C-alpha cells in the first residue's frame, strides 16, 4: 500500500508523535499553544523571543469589539444554537479585505517591495518611493476607522520586537512608510495594528500564504469569547429585532 510521509501528527496503538516528539510526554503540559502553532506552521521550534512576539500578535488580533465577524457569529448562534461550529465558521468567513485580511495584505505588500530591494541604503527613501509609486491606491496597514490618532497595538508590537531583537526588514519598511507617507498623501494616517501584525509575521519567517490563517487563529479565540458572553448576556436577538422591526417597504429600484 502507498505510504504518506508527514512530520506532523502520527499515531500507533501506543503512542502519538507530533513534530518528531512524543505528544503526551514532550508536548502536553510543556509547550504552549502559541509556541505549538508556530512550530506546526514552520516545523521548527521558535525561540522564546519569537514565541513572545508571535503570541503578542495573536493577542492583538483576538478580539476588537462588535465587528461584523463578532456580530455574525452571535446572530448565527441565535439562529442555530445547536451549531457552535457554524457560529464560529460564520465569523471566520467574514475575515476579508476590510477585517483581518489586512494582516496578510500588508505582509505581502511589504514583502513585494523588499524582494526587489533586499538591502536598501535608506529605508525612508525606499518608503517614499513606495508610497509615491502607489499613487491613489490604498496602502495596506495605513489608517484605522476608530484609532485616528494612533493604534495602541502598534507601538507595543514594535517595542516587543525591539526588546527581542526581532525588528526585521518588514517592520523597518513599515515604520518608514509611517514616516514618509504624509509627504505624499498630505495627511498623517496611523499604522494600524493589523498591518503591523502582518509585518511581524513576515519578519518571523511565517509563510505569506498563511498570514491570514494566523489572524483567523487569533480571532477564533475572540469569537469563542463573543459566544460565551452571548450566553451570559445575550444581545443578538436585540440586534436582529432592531433591524427586523425597523424595516420600511419601498418600491423596487430601477437602477
Amino acid at each position: 500500500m502507498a505510504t504518506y510521509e508527514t512530520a506532523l501528527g502520527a499515531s500507533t496503538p501506543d503512542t502519538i508523535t507530533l513534530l518528531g516528539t512524543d505528544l503526551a510526554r514532550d508536548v502536553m503540559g510543556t509547550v504552549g499553544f502559541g509556541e505549538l502553532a508556530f512550530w506546526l506552521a514552520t516545523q521548527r521550534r521558535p525561540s522564546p523571543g519569537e514565541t513572545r512576539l508571535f503570541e503578542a500578535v495573536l493577542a492583538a488580533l483576538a478580539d476588537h469589539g462588535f465587528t461584523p465577524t463578532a456580530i455574525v457569529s452571535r446572530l448565527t448562534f441565535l439562529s442555530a444554537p445547536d451549531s457552535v461550529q457554524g457560529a464560529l465558521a460564520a465569523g471566520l468567513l467574514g475575515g476579508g479585505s476590510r477585517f483581518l485580511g489586512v494582516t496578510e495584505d500588508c505582509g505581502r505588500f511589504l514583502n513585494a517591495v523588499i524582494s526587489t530591494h533586499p538591502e536598501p541604503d535608506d529605508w525612508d527613501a525606499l518608503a517614499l518611493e513606495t508610497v509615491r509609486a502607489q499613487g491613489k491606491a490604498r496602502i495596506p496597514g495605513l489608517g484605522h476607522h476608530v484609532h485616528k490618532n494612533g493604534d495602541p497595538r502598534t507601538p507595543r508590537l514594535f517595542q516587543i520586537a525591539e526588546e527581542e531583537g526581532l525588528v526585521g526588514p518588514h517592520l523597518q519598511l513599515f515604520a518608514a512608510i509611517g514616516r514618509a507617507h504624509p509627504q505624499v498623501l498630505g495627511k498623517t494616517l496611523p499604522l494600524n495594528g493589523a498591518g503591523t501584525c502582518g509585518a511581524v509575521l513576515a519578519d518571523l519567517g511565517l509563510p505569506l500564504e498563511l498570514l491570514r490563517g494566523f489572524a483567523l487563529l487569533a480571532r477564533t479565540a475572540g469569537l469563542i469569547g463573543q459566544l460565551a458572553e452571548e450566553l451570559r448576556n445575550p444581545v443578538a436577538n436585540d440586534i436582529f429585532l432592531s433591524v427586523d422591526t425597523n424595516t420600511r417597504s419601498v418600491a423596487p429600484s430601477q437602477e
Side-chain angles (χ1 to χ4, degrees), residues 11-17 22 24:
S11 301
T12 70
D14 302 313
T15 64
I16 303 174
T17 301
D22 184 282

Side-chain angles (χ1 to χ4, degrees), residues 78-117:
L78 171 68
S79 182
D82 53 319
S83 179
V84 172
Q85 70 272 26
L88 291 173
L92 295 178
L93 288 171
S97 59
R98 292 189 177 180
F99 292 89
L100 293 178
V102 174
T103 296
E104 177 185 327
D105 295 343
C106 187
R108 283 179 175 271
F109 175 80
L110 297 170
N111 189 262
V113 176
I114 291 168
S115 65
T116 57
H117 301 79

Side-chain angles (χ1 to χ4, degrees), residues 144-163:
H144 196 282
H145 69 289
V146 174
H147 305 301
K148 303 293 186 181
N149 298 318
D151 189 323
R153 298 170 295 177
T154 296
R156 180 58 174 156
L157 287 166
F158 272 98
Q159 178 187 2
I160 295 171
E162 183 70 36
E163 290 171 353

